Amino acid sequence: MTSRPLSGPAAIAALPRNRLLGEFSLWSADLANMETDLKRIEPYVDLHHIDVADARFTPGFLFFPDFVARIAKSTAKPIHVHLMVEAEIVEEQTRQFIEAGADLISVHAENGDAGLRAIALARDLGAEAGVVLRLETPVSAIDPFIDHVAFVTLLGTSIGVKGQSLSETACDRLIEARSLLRKAGREDRIILAADGGIREQTVPLLRQAGAQTVVLGSLAFGDKNLADRIAWLHGLESRVS
């Protein structure tokens, strides 16, 4: 078992803010050899990203609380669970995944009031909270959530499908989100994340548009020289002042 020095809001608050973060999607790990992959990425990952899908809000099923519990015992790094689930189960799912070891729970703005209740529950249970937007949802939908979250994640592809190209609207949406955070006086307290369409040629564009973390899949797990890949990631500069 690996010791986790920080958890919940403290773990998220301790993430570096002076460089692009490396958020690794375990959907792209070798699930049959998870322990090996976790050991390989541990020196480089800033936080683990685990997608949860109910086959209704998004195609297919993805990961379960026992999976998160296993990961939590094997890493010292924070765990970010992205709940791609319908509103009627988002609160119970929030509880289950925090009990399993999630440090950060992100719910969809499309869950509406149920999403806000899930965020309040996450914080009551000692975890941090975030909000996610589908590609087709107006960026203004984050407004009711801004005062209550530490992460805002914008999807740059259609939800729940691997291997898609980044939408041509993704960078403009990040710029718009950054403007809303600044207007609300929360820019320094919320990490802006880009998820989907993460490729070598798109990451610099997303960084320049204001992304502070990108959800890495094959770009990380498929790279034999992970140290060089992460050094490249950390060296990308933002044009957002």
Side-chain angles (χ1 to χ4, degrees):
M1 180 180 294
T2 300
S3 174
R4 303 179 72 198
L6 296 173
S7 63
I12 303 307
L15 291 170
R17 299 296 293 267
N18 62 342
R19 60 165 173 77
L20 188 60
L21 300 174
E23 185 170 355
F24 285 39
S25 173
L26 295 183
W27 192 8
S28 292
D30 182 348
L31 300 183
N33 296 284
M34 179 60 68
E35 186 175 359
T36 299
D37 260 1
L38 287 173
K39 288 180 179 178
R40 176 179 177 241
I41 69 175
E42 188 74 8
Y44 309 109
V45 62
D46 287 304
L47 66 164
H48 298 290
H49 184 100
I50 298 176
D51 288 307
V52 173
D54 63 359
R56 292 179 60 200
F57 189 82
T58 185
F61 288 103
L62 281 172
F63 298 114
F64 305 100
D66 56 352
F67 179 78
V68 172
R70 178 181 173 188
I71 301 306
K73 294 177 180 178
S74 303
T75 181
K77 303 299 177 68
I79 295 172
H80 179 187
V81 170
H82 170 199
L83 293 180
M84 300 183 287
V85 301
E86 293 285 357
E88 60 262 32
I89 65 170
V90 69
E91 291 169 81
E92 181 56 32
Q93 291 284 281
T94 293
R95 180 183 300 277
Q96 289 183 25
F97 280 95
I98 291 172
E99 290 175 350
D103 299 285
L104 167 66
I105 295 283
S106 282
V107 305
H108 270 263
E110 296 86 359
N111 287 153
D113 288 343
L116 287 168
R117 292 194 299 270
I119 284 170
L121 175 61
R123 301 181 76 173
D124 286 346
L125 294 175
E128 192 51 273
V131 64
V132 189
L133 284 184
R134 298 174 78 129
L135 180 61
E136 64 270 22
T137 301
V139 175
S140 59
I142 67 173
D143 280 340
F145 296 84
I146 287 177
D147 288 338
H148 310 290
V149 298
F151 255 66
V152 169
T153 301
L154 301 188
L155 300 186
T157 58
S158 297
I159 194 167
V161 181
K162 281 186 176 182
Q164 300 175 80
S165 298
L166 185 71
S167 168
E168 62 183 16
T169 68
C171 290
D172 287 343
R173 285 168 59 82
L174 284 168
I175 292 169
E176 183 180 353
R178 176 65 58 195
S179 178
L180 291 176
L181 299 182
R182 184 179 296 119
K183 182 178 179 180
R186 296 276 292 168
E187 185 179 19
D188 293 336
R189 301 186 66 183
I190 293 178
I191 291 174
L192 184 58
D195 184 2
I198 305 302
R199 303 287 184 269
E200 187 167 11
Q201 66 272 25
T202 62
V203 174
L205 301 176
L206 294 165
R207 176 60 169 159
Q208 290 168 10
Q212 293 166 289
T213 180
V214 291
V215 180
L216 300 165
S218 59
L219 192 63
F221 287 98
D223 198 316
K224 294 181 180 179
N225 194 332
L226 195 51
D228 284 355
R229 172 61 68 196
I230 298 305
W232 167 81
L233 187 86
H234 290 171
L236 295 174
E237 295 185 0
S238 175
R239 291 181 181 172
V240 176
S241 60

